[in-house]
Amino acid sequence: MTISIRHFGHWDRPMVGIHMAADGGARPRARFLLCRPLGQEAVRSSAVFRVAGERLSREGVESLRFDYHGTGDSPGDEGAQSLDDWVRDTLAAHELIVGDGGPPVHWFGMGLGAVIALRAALLAKHPPRHLVLWEPVFNGPGYLQALVAGHKAELAMMFAQPWEQIAASGKVAEPALPGDVLGFDFGERLVADLRALPDLNVLPALRRGLRITCAVRGDQPHPLAAHAGLAALKLHTVEHPTDWMSSQAMGTAIAPPDIPRVLLATLD
């Protein structure tokens, strides 16, 4: 299994990615671009992306997982980013893995990374063949509320007190957006983008010829159920739901087994 670090991107938006070649040095039968979520969700799901890359490699599939500019190991001001910036970063990563052509390219995006991937797929000169959206953000304002709620829940766990008591004691400041939430700086541009984020709409990507798999938790109605009859759209129920905003997911060593299975199914 050959693993290499790739430095890429425009001169003013450098990025770092991890490339995994197909096992045994064989010509890959496909390529996968792995688009991570943001903030604590990226930290706590890191094993998922590592395991997915390893499994794909063993199955003869090349992959690239990367950090958007201003996130993870990529340089840049975390608080100065926007969704459009990260869409451009995704397109740059896509061009890197496409190279001079070859086998088909598929994308996998989790959380907010799924939203970014869906937007980027509409702009890619040579779009991916299949797009896997794993627990995508369906509603921007709801996502912002979940971030603040998650921050409060972590503090309640740390102090072993209900949030209301912690707030009344003045021990910590009330989390607010824009601002530092769950240890990450959510800047004005990104928060404005999320507040204005429309409901997830896969129809433009389907009209462009992409095949899409969308996975959500089984404890909620599937937001795309109305489109279930479309041949190019597959709906999947997440078999092992995990709250990636919660510290309970930290250090998760076992990646949900249905993720690599769903990724490999897109190659058929």
Side-chain angles (χ1 to χ4, degrees):
M1 187 177 297
T2 303
I3 303 173
S4 59
I5 305 299
R6 299 294 177 89
H7 296 268
F8 66 100
H10 196 262
W11 67 268
D12 62 345
R13 293 193 63 81
M15 288 174 281
V16 177
I18 298 178
H19 176 267
M20 299 188 72
D23 205 5
R27 176 179 170 81
R29 60 186 178 119
R31 292 168 172 158
F32 246 105
L33 181 64
L34 308 177
C35 305
R36 304 178 67 190
L38 277 298
Q40 285 296 341
E41 291 176 286
V43 173
R44 293 164 179 170
S45 65
S46 59
V48 171
F49 285 79
R50 174 181 55 79
V51 170
E54 292 172 352
R55 176 65 186 280
L56 289 169
S57 177
R58 290 196 299 270
E59 297 291 339
V61 179
E62 179 183 346
S63 70
L64 174 70
R65 61 187 189 270
F66 70 102
D67 292 326
Y68 311 98
H69 182 74
T71 72
D73 291 325
S74 293
D77 183 352
E78 183 178 74
Q81 308 304 313
S82 71
L83 290 182
D84 284 345
D85 289 337
W86 289 331
V87 164
R88 288 191 291 273
D89 292 346
T90 301
L91 294 172
H94 178 61
E95 291 303 314
L96 175 65
I97 197 169
V98 167
D100 295 328
V105 177
H106 305 246
W107 291 3
F108 167 74
M110 176 185 280
L112 193 57
V115 174
I116 295 167
L118 181 61
R119 287 190 169 194
L122 297 176
L123 300 175
K125 182 178 179 181
H126 303 289
R129 177 174 294 184
H130 201 118
L131 182 58
V132 179
L133 308 174
W134 201 270
E135 298 189 77
V137 173
F138 282 96
N139 180 274
Y143 177 71
L144 292 174
Q145 292 173 8
L147 286 170
V148 172
H151 188 102
K152 293 178 179 178
E154 291 298 303
L155 290 173
M157 186 182 303
M158 182 174 70
F159 288 103
Q161 289 182 319
W163 165 253
E164 291 74 16
Q165 292 183 19
I166 298 171
S169 71
K171 293 179 181 177
V172 295
E174 180 88 16
L177 290 166
D180 190 297
V181 174
L182 286 172
F184 287 83
D185 185 7
F186 289 81
E188 292 184 3
R189 296 173 65 215
L190 178 58
V191 171
D193 286 347
L194 290 169
R195 284 176 176 155
L197 188 67
D199 291 343
L200 195 77
N201 182 7
V202 299
L203 294 181
L206 292 173
R207 285 195 289 266
R208 199 175 184 210
L210 276 73
R211 301 186 67 84
I212 295 176
T213 298
C214 185
V216 301
R217 299 165 65 105
D219 58 359
Q220 60 183 3
H222 202 301
L224 301 181
H227 307 306
L230 298 176
L233 176 64
K234 182 177 180 180
L235 307 183
H236 176 77
T237 300
V238 175
E239 297 173 5
H240 302 278
T242 302
D243 182 1
W244 299 108
M245 286 189 188
S246 168
S247 59
Q248 294 175 345
M250 179 63 78
T252 299
I254 301 176
D258 52 335
I259 290 181
R261 190 171 67 246
V262 168
L263 297 187
L264 291 170
T266 67
L267 308 182
D268 298 333

